[in-house]
Amino acid sequence: MKNSLLLFFVLCTATMFAQKSVQGIIKDTETNQPIEYAIIVGNSSGKSTVTNSEGRFRLNLSAEDSKIIVKHLSYFTKELPVNATQSFNIQLQSTTESLEEIVILQTSIKSEIEKAIKTSQARFANNLKLNTFYRELLYINGDMYQYEDAEVDYYLKSINKSNVVVKESRSVKFANEEAKKFDSLTRVHYYWGDFKENVADEFDFKLIKRIISDKEYDLYITTKTAGDGTTLNILHFDPIDKAKKATLSGTVIYGSQDYLIREVKANLAEKFMANNEFTQQNNHKFKRSFYNRTTIFNLYNNKYSLTYTSYRIFGVSQVLNQLTKVGGVMELLVDSVEENPTVVNSDKFYTREKLTPLGKNYKTKYWEKFNVVPLTYKEEQMLKQVNK
């Protein structure tokens, strides 16, 4: 009898913690084009992921999840059962048929956005733990040079500071001809900066603060209705006609009633590419030729937090007379969020700016269990070498 009860408990426990892995592709009903940055959420657990540039996603749900909720600020929300279905081909209907209207404010645009920033920061829990998947891809002269990823826990006790525990990680340097040539000619090491600060900066909305305080940017706000019925305001920013240093163009989307920021996007403004000059960065100079930055915040079951952020940057590096095409991708996906987590000893925090020193520090294929944003097909083919 005891053995039977024990077996029953083990089976129940295994079922409780079992995960259902689902994947699929999301496209526009009218154009049949893939939809990027759609959020897919487990209806009970709140676990989430986003689609990549090809509209693809993969999500490891918890056992209690019976549906996935598909959301996008420009499309109607959709709920789909996950019973026995593991692969989805999803079509979303656009909500952008009506023209956006210009918003007439009683205060300045800067004051309006400062209110959105302050309101958003006030909704973040004071003590957060983000369970995340982090990765970096670095290219030298068009070929993949280095790849790093990790399962990282971010602990944020204030808006502008974070500590991390790197649970598992890997760092792989490629040995192609361009990599060998680069290593033989230079002593420069490229990296994305401190990956702890990158996430803290998103919670601090540093990019938006800089844009609205820069007199070289033209700002205006429009409004539209999101797929879930929420009325959204959209801040548009572009360099003014006579801008000498401003280079970015983009949008900030926030709720017109709740003032919570949902999305931040920034790209290089094509008309102002000439403003991109070589700037000193540590031991080399760098000039951007491509820049794409996307950050998504999600409000689900009254919880508000960061869901996803990515940087795609390419350009030319100069060291003395040596010019090198450098660029890559930094991507962070938040799998789940915990409020007021168990206190962690400070000696467990990772203090370096980069993951490289950890090398192949993994015991399980954590990148498969996580809600990993699928890479593009080309990137996946190159990374088959990593997964061997």
Side-chain angles (χ1 to χ4, degrees):
M1 181 69 178
K2 288 183 178 179
N3 290 337
S4 298
L5 288 173
L6 178 60
L7 178 60
F8 176 79
F9 174 78
V10 170
L11 290 174
C12 287
T13 304
T15 303
M16 186 183 304
F17 291 99
Q19 290 187 332
K20 292 176 280 189
S21 180
V22 297
Q23 61 183 340
I25 185 167
I26 301 177
K27 293 184 177 181
D28 185 295
T29 301
E30 300 297 328
T31 66
N32 204 38
Q33 292 300 306
I35 300 173
E36 187 175 16
Y37 303 131
I39 302 174
I40 302 91
V41 186
N43 67 312
S44 294
S45 66
K47 282 178 166 288
S48 64
T49 189
V50 303
T51 53
N52 71 353
S53 60
E54 297 169 342
R56 295 188 296 131
F57 71 90
R58 186 170 78 237
L59 176 62
N60 289 324
L61 297 168
S62 294
E64 68 267 24
D65 290 318
S66 59
K67 298 178 182 178
I68 56 171
I69 301 166
V70 183
K71 308 194 306 178
H72 192 287
L73 297 179
S74 297
Y75 292 86
F76 288 107
T77 300
K78 204 172 235 187
E79 294 188 12
L80 298 164
V82 295
N83 299 326
T85 306
Q86 293 183 332
S87 184
F88 293 86
N89 287 300
I90 302 170
Q91 300 278 327
L92 295 185
Q93 180 68 46
S94 173
T95 62
T96 58
E97 293 179 0
S98 58
L99 295 176
E100 295 177 7
E101 299 178 359
I102 300 291
V103 176
I104 307 299
L105 299 173
Q106 300 299 316
T107 60
S108 70
I109 289 180
K110 182 179 180 182
S111 298
E112 172 80 357
I113 303 306
E114 285 175 341
K115 179 180 178 180
I117 292 172
K118 185 176 180 180
T119 304
S120 298
Q121 289 179 332
R123 280 295 298 272
F124 294 137
N126 292 327
N127 189 3
L128 274 179
K129 175 188 174 186
L130 307 180
N131 303 306
T132 76
F133 178 81
Y134 178 90
R135 77 168 142 230
E136 297 179 3
L137 292 84
L138 180 62
Y139 294 86
I140 297 292
N141 292 325
D143 287 343
M144 187 175 286
Y145 178 74
Q146 191 167 31
Y147 177 84
E148 298 185 340
D149 63 12
E151 182 181 353
V152 181
D153 289 341
Y154 278 80
Y155 291 82
L156 293 100
K157 291 188 177 180
S158 63
I159 296 301
N160 59 0
K161 183 179 180 181
S162 66
N163 289 305
V164 303
V165 173
V166 181
K167 299 173 73 173
E168 298 194 66
S169 68
R170 57 182 174 170
S171 177
V172 178
K173 189 173 181 180
F174 289 81
N176 53 57
E177 291 304 314
E178 284 297 331
K180 292 177 182 177
K181 180 181 176 182
F182 173 76
D183 288 338
S184 67
L185 294 175
T186 188
R187 289 168 292 178
V188 176
H189 298 283
Y190 298 110
Y191 60 97
W192 283 98
D194 192 326
F195 69 104
K196 301 183 293 295
E197 292 181 359
N198 287 341
V199 172
D201 287 352
E202 299 299 342
F203 280 88
D204 196 32
F205 298 103
K206 280 193 174 181
L207 175 65
I208 307 175
K209 290 178 179 178
R210 179 165 61 84
I211 293 293
I212 62 175
S213 299
D214 191 332
K215 294 181 179 179
E216 286 203 341
Y217 280 98
D218 182 30
L219 310 174
Y220 69 96
I221 293 177
T222 62
T223 186
K224 72 172 185 178
T225 302
D228 60 1
T230 305
T231 303
L232 301 172
N233 284 354
I234 307 168
L235 169 71
H236 303 259
F237 57 89
D238 294 281
I240 61 175
D241 289 339
K242 296 182 179 180
K244 295 181 179 179
K245 293 184 178 180
T247 60
L248 299 180
S249 176
T251 55
V252 178
I253 302 178
Y254 63 98
S256 63
Q257 299 298 318
D258 61 23
Y259 274 82
L260 296 179
I261 295 172
R262 269 45 171 209
E263 180 182 276
V264 181
K265 284 189 176 182
N267 298 277
L268 286 183
E270 291 186 9
K271 289 175 58 178
F272 296 88
M273 292 292 288
N275 286 352
N276 283 291
E277 300 177 346
F278 280 99
T279 57
Q280 190 68 40
Q281 297 189 2
N282 297 324
N283 49 10
H284 72 114
K285 292 182 178 181
F286 183 73
K287 181 178 180 180
R288 295 183 300 189
S289 59
F290 178 86
Y291 179 90
N292 175 279
R293 177 172 173 175
T294 300
T295 302
I296 299 173
F297 296 87
N298 188 26
L299 177 64
Y300 183 71
N301 283 346
N302 208 33
K303 290 186 178 182
Y304 174 69
S305 186
L306 177 72
T307 292
Y308 174 78
T309 186
S310 71
Y311 299 72
R312 287 182 179 264
I313 304 173
F314 291 87
V316 177
S317 170
Q318 180 179 14
V319 181
L320 298 177
N321 294 324
Q322 179 187 341
L323 295 177
T324 305
K325 292 181 180 178
V326 180
V329 181
M330 184 285 285
E331 194 168 48
L332 178 98
L333 178 72
V334 179
D335 173 71
S336 57
V337 178
E338 297 177 32
E339 297 182 4
N340 301 313
T342 304
V343 176
V344 177
N345 293 331
S346 59
D347 58 356
K348 292 186 177 181
F349 290 140
Y350 187 68
T351 57
R352 294 178 180 259
E353 295 179 332
K354 193 167 169 58
L355 294 167
T356 309
L358 292 179
K360 294 184 178 180
N361 176 37
Y362 63 90
K363 298 178 182 178
T364 63
K365 292 186 176 181
Y366 57 89
W367 54 89
E368 291 182 355
K369 74 170 183 176
F370 247 80
N371 301 334
V372 180
V373 180
L375 298 167
T376 63
Y377 179 77
K378 182 179 178 181
E379 291 168 338
E380 283 184 345
Q381 296 307 303
M382 288 188 287
L383 287 178
K384 284 183 177 180
Q385 301 175 56
V386 177
N387 294 328
K388 290 180 179 179

